[in-house]
Amino acid sequence: MEYTHEGQEYVLNLIDTPGHVDFSYEVSRSIAACEGALLVVDAAQSIQAQTISNLYLALENDLEIIPVLNKVDLPSANPEEVTDDIVDLLGCKPEEIIRASAKTGLGIEAILQAIVDHVPPPKGDVNAPLQALIFDSVYNPFRGVETYFRVFSGKISKGQDIKFLATQKKYSADEVGTLNLTQTPKKYIGAGDVGYLITGIKNAKEVKVGDTIIDVDSTEIIGVSGFEDVKPMVFAGIYPVDTEDYEELRSSMDKLQLNDASLVYTPESSSALGFGFRCGFLGMLHLEIIQERLEREFNMSVITTVPNVSYNAYVNKDPSAKILVNNPSDLPDPSSLNRVEEPYIDATIITKSEFVGNVLTLCIEKRGEIKNQRYLTTERVELNFRLPLAEIVFDFYDRLKSVSKGYASLDYTPAGFVASKLVRLDILLNGKPVDALSSLIHADNAQRMGRKLCEKLKELIPRQQFDIPVQAAIGAKIISRETIKAFRKDVTAKLYGGDVTRKRKLLEKQKKGKKKMRMVGSVEIPQQAFMAVLKIND
């Protein structure tokens, strides 16, 4: 945007980042492209956990921080108390905090003036070799992938040949320009500027956030630091409800990936659900977004299996060779297994002091251990935990919100892999294992989870003409069982008197028929059964 301050023309490049913990990598790349940051704090909710983690990211990158107190016009706003929280966090003066309301327009001029006064202008030499950071990309169905970048040195001109450093692919800049409310084509974008680039790329995988754009013949240019491939944290199977829609689902996933390069998927098949895909997501929110988009944008009704995380397994034959386990069915045979390592995270939870007991109980139940407890104010507490990632991918966030009446916020960072006593819990229906309901669980929780799952499935699976045993097993050992009783026709109703052997004969005949039916009968599993695992604590 162009802004005039005291008769001087300024160009401001502003970017909004997602606050959710699942997308922290995108936030870090956006911060790397900036000179300053607005720390916007809600006057009604005060400081959240992800606000603090993103603030630390901004401070690590030496950004100028401008504190803003937003939503001061709300009846529930508590500006004085929240101002004190910001002063404690940043060490600034209360008068430096700008009070604003996007709804009424209060403080907007003051924010723009503060940006001009405090944020340093970008440095960079237009005549130096080209070095530009990619911080975002969007997919345009007519023009291919549009890449958003910030130039640190040199310039990109229309028609210039360029190269992406991470992928080593070469392109020609068909169009470059700046992002006003509409895209404005320019002859070139110079050092310190932000713009868009269209090269006709059709595959979003070729454009990676954090990559560096350089001249095609440049050899000694070093990339902007911090580039890494985004790694999926949560894995789940996505299957079409109707197996005939498999090809349609594949094309829908391809189209989704054009917009969202962090979605990873490979084909897999399940004996219970047919053909589908094993997908990798950044977190549970990402999984929900993909599921929602498949339904809204492509009218695809899908079944999502139990989400799980990625484990490292080691076998006795070669204890140093790591086997990556993204699917419970990939786990090696328990007899040959040396150990299994699961990913852990360092979690930061900020909540009101009255809910500390509830949050502690929840985290200890999830096999967490408390590392630190710090009172930010008399009312607000910061708790640090070490938790297994597998325990928080299901319902942890929802339960955290319910035990704290919505006042707790969560942020986490990966903390490496730790060897754990994990077992594969299989569910057998009518004696046949249902691979889509298998999960890797800590040995201490397996008995309880197996029992709860069997009880839940007994309620959800409809009754048939024959008894259906629902069993939970670890290896060959059955740890829990429930039976879904059969519909029973009264075959003796037509009898009127006579010998008891006639009655017995009919009942025996019925028994044989049911036994035969059970051998050939298959059990239909409704979609709710697959989601039962997620709602096991309801």
Side-chain angles (χ1 to χ4, degrees):
M1 63 178 281
E2 282 151 12
Y3 176 65
T4 311
H5 178 54
E6 295 174 357
Q8 181 84 28
E9 286 280 329
Y10 292 94
V11 174
L12 307 181
N13 287 301
L14 308 164
I15 180 168
D16 184 24
T17 60
H20 199 278
V21 61
D22 283 2
F23 307 106
S24 58
Y25 177 69
E26 278 86 341
V27 177
S28 73
R29 297 332 315 143
S30 302
I31 282 174
C34 295
E35 264 77 29
L38 295 173
L39 178 73
V40 184
V41 179
D42 191 320
Q45 286 192 311
S46 192
I47 296 161
Q48 304 280 295
Q50 59 263 36
T51 310
I52 292 178
S53 75
N54 290 342
L55 170 66
Y56 289 154
L57 270 176
L59 290 171
E60 278 170 27
N61 282 274
D62 292 331
L63 299 197
E64 183 67 40
I65 310 290
I66 299 169
V68 178
L69 190 61
N70 192 23
K71 301 187 186 175
V72 290
D73 60 311
L74 288 182
S76 59
N78 196 346
E80 274 69 35
E81 193 181 308
V82 180
T83 299
D84 291 343
D85 290 353
I86 298 171
V87 169
D88 289 344
L89 181 67
L90 279 179
C92 61
K93 295 180 182 136
E95 57 271 17
E96 289 175 8
I97 299 167
I98 302 167
R99 293 195 176 196
S101 165
K103 190 171 163 187
T104 62
L106 170 76
I108 305 301
E109 269 307 313
I111 292 171
L112 292 171
Q113 285 173 22
I115 292 171
V116 171
D117 293 339
H118 298 297
V119 177
K123 301 178 185 72
D125 182 2
V126 181
N127 300 315
L130 172 64
Q131 186 189 32
L133 170 75
I134 298 171
F135 62 84
D136 201 2
S137 67
V138 291
Y139 183 74
N140 180 328
F142 303 105
R143 310 195 67 182
V145 179
E146 295 172 0
T147 308
Y148 296 163
F149 62 91
R150 144 85 196 268
V151 184
F152 281 92
S153 65
K155 62 181 182 181
I156 295 187
S157 309
K158 185 179 176 180
Q160 181 181 342
D161 288 334
I162 49 156
K163 183 163 77 172
F164 288 2
L165 197 63
T167 59
Q168 288 292 311
K169 297 206 170 187
K170 297 170 185 176
Y171 306 99
S172 172
D174 297 342
E175 185 182 307
V176 292
T178 51
L179 296 152
N180 295 6
L181 287 174
T182 55
Q183 292 180 343
T184 313
K186 294 275 174 82
K187 284 186 179 173
Y188 73 90
I189 304 289
D193 281 334
V194 173
Y196 70 90
L197 165 72
I198 295 173
T199 55
I201 299 171
K202 290 286 183 278
N203 185 354
K205 276 186 176 175
E206 292 177 27
V207 181
K208 295 178 185 286
V209 170
D211 198 356
T212 306
I213 304 172
I214 58 171
D215 283 316
V216 74
D217 49 5
S218 154
T219 50
E220 69 286 336
I221 283 290
I222 302 160
V224 178
S225 64
F227 171 73
E228 56 186 75
D229 276 326
V230 182
K231 293 183 187 71
M233 302 283 274
V234 175
F235 295 85
I238 290 185
Y239 293 85
V241 171
D242 190 344
T243 47
E244 291 169 7
D245 296 338
Y246 173 70
E247 284 303 324
E248 203 178 320
L249 178 62
R250 181 194 284 276
S251 68
S252 304
M253 298 287 272
D254 284 341
K255 286 174 189 165
L256 267 185
Q257 203 175 37
L258 290 172
N259 280 54
D260 186 352
S262 48
L263 170 68
V264 181
Y265 66 92
T266 51
E268 75 166 1
S269 62
S270 155
S271 55
L273 299 170
F275 290 103
F277 297 97
R278 167 71 30 179
C279 306
F281 307 95
L282 298 172
M284 283 300 282
L285 177 73
H286 192 208
L287 186 154
E288 284 168 31
I289 290 168
I290 296 294
Q291 204 175 342
E292 192 73 20
R293 286 184 66 190
L294 281 170
E295 283 174 19
R296 279 192 195 175
E297 294 174 27
F298 304 102
N299 283 332
M300 288 297 309
S301 298
V302 293
I303 291 173
T304 310
T305 65
V306 185
N308 65 281
V309 298
S310 190
Y311 298 91
N312 290 338
Y314 298 86
V315 290
N316 290 322
K317 201 185 287 177
D318 185 3
S320 60
K322 182 169 71 176
I323 300 165
L324 195 66
V325 179
N326 292 334
N327 190 342
S329 59
D330 297 341
L331 190 74
D333 186 73
S335 59
S336 66
L337 203 59
N338 182 296
R339 68 187 188 282
V340 182
E341 291 179 346
E342 65 175 328
Y344 267 66
I345 53 157
D346 287 325
T348 303
I349 296 169
I350 294 179
T351 186
K352 285 195 165 183
S353 49
E354 61 197 270
F355 303 119
V356 169
N358 297 355
V359 173
L360 278 170
T361 308
L362 172 65
C363 290
I364 288 162
E365 183 194 317
K366 296 285 186 185
R367 297 193 283 126
E369 55 179 277
I370 188 159
K371 291 285 182 191
N372 193 13
Q373 180 174 337
R374 189 161 65 95
Y375 277 80
L376 302 170
T377 66
T378 50
E379 285 292 302
R380 295 168 67 73
V381 188
E382 183 188 285
L383 301 164
N384 297 100
F385 288 95
R386 173 66 64 91
L387 280 157
L389 181 63
E391 294 285 349
I392 74 155
V393 295
F394 291 157
D395 57 350
F396 183 81
Y397 198 66
D398 295 339
R399 286 187 65 199
L400 180 65
K401 287 288 181 195
S402 62
V403 299
S404 63
K405 298 184 182 168
Y407 280 106
S409 58
L410 166 76
D411 186 70
Y412 62 82
T413 51
F417 283 77
V418 177
S420 290
K421 201 173 154 194
L422 297 168
V423 291
R424 189 173 83 209
L425 183 71
D426 291 316
I427 299 295
L428 308 168
L429 285 183
N430 202 12
K432 295 173 191 153
V434 182
D435 50 5
L437 286 172
S438 295
S439 53
L440 282 175
I441 289 177
H442 196 267
D444 297 348
N445 298 340
Q447 190 93 28
R448 179 177 60 86
M449 284 290 280
R451 199 175 303 122
K452 279 191 171 182
L453 258 175
C454 289
E455 286 167 10
K456 201 89 169 177
L457 291 170
K458 185 185 175 183
E459 295 166 22
L460 292 168
I461 293 172
R463 288 166 71 187
Q464 310 280 334
Q465 295 287 346
F466 53 93
D467 281 1
I468 307 168
V470 181
Q471 297 164 310
I474 297 169
K477 184 185 173 191
I478 305 291
I479 57 168
S480 176
R481 172 186 169 128
E482 294 284 338
T483 305
I484 302 167
K485 285 291 176 194
F487 289 123
R488 185 165 179 267
K489 183 181 174 186
D490 189 359
V491 289
T492 58
K494 61 187 178 187
L495 294 182
Y496 48 95
D499 193 3
V500 73
T501 51
R502 291 183 67 201
K503 189 176 181 179
R504 280 201 196 123
K505 186 178 161 189
L506 283 172
L507 287 171
E508 278 299 318
K509 191 178 173 188
Q510 184 189 37
K511 199 171 165 185
K512 276 182 190 167
K514 286 206 179 290
K515 194 174 176 184
K516 188 179 176 185
M517 201 184 278
R518 189 178 151 188
M519 284 164 68
V520 295
S522 64
V523 183
E524 283 290 311
I525 308 168
Q527 163 127 30
Q528 305 96 289
F530 295 101
M531 303 321 286
V533 184
L534 304 186
K535 305 201 167 48
I536 205 82
N537 290 300
D538 287 6

